[in-house]
Amino acid sequence: MSDDDQPQQDATPVTDPRDGDRPHENALTGPRDGDRPGEDTLKDPGPDGRSREEAVTVTGLRYAFGSSTAVDGLDLTVTSGEVFGLLGPNGAGKTTAIRCVTTLLPVPAGMVKVFGHDVTTDRMAVRRLLGYVPQQLSADAGLTGRENVALFARVFDVPRRERAARVAQALEAVGLAEVADRMAGTYSGGMVRRLELAQALISSPRLLILDEPTIGLDPIARTGVWDHIMAVRAASGMTVLVTTHYMDEADQYCDRVALMHQGRVRALGTPRRLTDDLRARRGDGTSPTLEDVFRDVAGSGLDDLDKGGEFRDVRRTRRTAARVG
Ligand SMILES: Nc1ncnc2c1ncn2[C@@H]1O[C@H](COP(=O)(O)OP(=O)(O)OP(=O)(O)O)[C@@H](O)[C@H]1O
């Protein structure tokens, strides 16, 4: 199956929220640098004494486009309440993997579960739990911010009597309340991204999936997008699965990261543990960055990236810049 088979599905993977389904809401809000859950501590009971739930479980996932393997035996677990970063260079397989999690692509081999629901056999249950911000534009430049979010509220079956308040709440949560009645076509790149975040939040998802949420944005806009993601996450306790090329963002905002290369996870853990481990292996007193870790685990396979200088997708950067310009 090709990506083009499902062009319209990106923007609409979620439907109505199920408030009663959220036993861990607020249980894990806001762990930051000093108290990030480590790989081992995630297996321990949470602050409420209960075991932390697995939000996403991926086992042996494989996906190929024709003869080209995009995901090659992916294993990872995202724990309820954490911000989990899937990192990797262009073509690593990140988008393909998360599209399998969102049910937008089938799972030809392996298994993917979201809060215990199999994405293949329990597709609608999975969709009800998700909010998804794809790389592609999901906001309509010809509508106001409020109309854009209201459209999602209708699509996702938010009860009519609650819609106006829920739309206003979502816009407020991403800092767009004051410009809600302006056409989205007049928004800056960062504002468009925050509008798309509001659209994804309208269904109060337990799991928010963001594909390159800050690609093509300037540093201030990037910070603005992340500030709102983290604020919403702290208020709701939702789990966040995010792909990014920006190692600095992953280091700053993600509780754990998986470094993906050529369809597989090459390293997984908290940013601190990954960099500490490399420091110990090197033993030369230098302080490695996450990018150093990546180069260490991916080896010569990253040679092509040196030509571009950074883990940056120029093609997509341009696409994002064009759509908001
Ligand atoms: N629709 C498609 N048809 C054929 N090959 C595809 C398609 N989509 C992705 N691929 C290939 O699958 C591999 C993984 O792509 P994918 O988009 O999942 O990687 P990625 O890590 O998300 O990269 P990027 O950072 O560029 O988005 C790449 O080799 C890509 O060329």
Side-chain angles (χ1 to χ4, degrees):
M1 172 183 285
S2 87
D3 235 7
D4 297 331
D5 290 337
Q6 308 182 31
Q8 298 305 319
Q9 295 184 27
D10 265 334
T12 56
V14 280
T15 56
D16 56 305
R18 284 184 175 173
D19 290 323
D21 276 349
R22 293 191 210 128
H24 287 245
E25 200 148 291
N26 295 323
L28 293 171
T29 51
R32 290 301 327 140
D33 285 315
D35 61 350
R36 285 177 178 180
E39 215 168 339
D40 297 333
T41 58
L42 286 168
K43 293 171 191 144
D44 298 332
D48 57 1
R50 289 177 289 183
S51 289
R52 289 176 180 167
E53 207 177 352
E54 290 187 359
V56 180
T57 315
V58 178
T59 314
L61 175 65
R62 291 181 196 279
Y63 194 98
F65 295 96
S67 59
S68 166
T69 301
V71 179
D72 190 15
L74 183 70
D75 295 306
L76 59 85
T77 300
V78 179
T79 303
S80 178
E82 72 176 332
V83 178
F84 190 97
L86 198 53
L87 314 187
N90 297 342
K94 307 179 299 293
T95 298
T96 305
I98 63 168
R99 284 170 66 84
C100 290
V101 176
T102 61
T103 79
L104 294 175
L105 286 178
V107 175
M111 187 203 65
V112 179
K113 287 186 175 177
V114 173
F115 288 105
H117 298 280
D118 191 303
V119 300
T120 302
T121 58
D122 216 355
R123 198 170 174 214
M124 292 316 294
V126 169
R127 289 182 172 208
R128 277 193 285 270
L129 297 169
L130 293 179
Y132 178 40
V133 180
Q135 283 187 26
Q136 296 86 357
L137 182 66
S138 57
D140 186 333
L143 298 177
T144 66
R146 192 184 310 279
E147 288 166 344
N148 266 292
V149 181
L151 183 63
F152 270 59
R154 279 201 298 279
V155 169
F156 300 143
D157 237 5
V158 173
R160 185 187 291 268
R161 66 182 178 286
E162 294 175 23
R163 262 182 224 158
R166 292 265 295 271
V167 168
Q169 198 180 12
L171 287 160
E172 178 76 36
V174 299
L176 292 177
E178 286 180 13
V179 294
D181 296 310
R182 258 172 57 187
M183 301 297 264
T186 69
Y187 286 7
S188 69
M191 290 161 78
V192 170
R193 258 334 200 181
R194 285 189 276 134
L195 178 59
E196 292 168 340
L197 181 59
Q199 291 172 328
L201 292 173
I202 197 70
S203 61
S204 306
R206 286 182 73 188
L207 172 65
L208 177 67
I209 299 183
L210 305 145
D211 196 358
E212 308 271 7
T214 56
I215 192 93
L217 301 180
D218 66 48
I220 291 173
R222 283 167 58 186
T223 303
V225 169
W226 270 110
D227 283 350
H228 286 93
I229 294 170
M230 298 308 282
V232 171
R233 181 264 190 151
S236 68
M238 72 184 171
T239 309
V240 179
L241 171 59
V242 59
T243 74
T244 182
H245 289 146
Y246 297 118
M247 299 286 164
D248 57 331
E249 289 185 3
D251 194 14
Q252 188 175 352
Y253 298 107
C254 293
D255 297 313
R256 290 191 307 149
V257 296
L259 307 187
M260 204 173 163
H261 184 48
Q262 295 175 340
R264 292 184 186 176
V265 170
R266 304 302 172 115
L268 192 153
T270 65
R272 183 173 296 171
R273 174 174 294 188
L274 292 175
T275 50
D276 281 355
D277 284 355
L278 180 58
R279 184 185 299 119
R281 280 202 302 282
R282 281 179 168 173
D284 60 4
T286 59
S287 297
T289 63
L290 259 190
E291 185 160 333
D292 295 327
V293 174
F294 208 113
R295 289 180 183 281
D296 185 67
V297 296
S300 59
L302 290 183
D303 283 352
D304 285 349
L305 296 175
D306 288 332
K307 294 169 193 157
E310 284 189 279
F311 293 91
R312 219 175 267 257
D313 182 344
V314 174
R315 175 172 50 85
R316 289 220 164 86
T317 303
R318 285 195 185 133
R319 188 189 300 160
T320 304
R323 83 182 196 210
V324 297

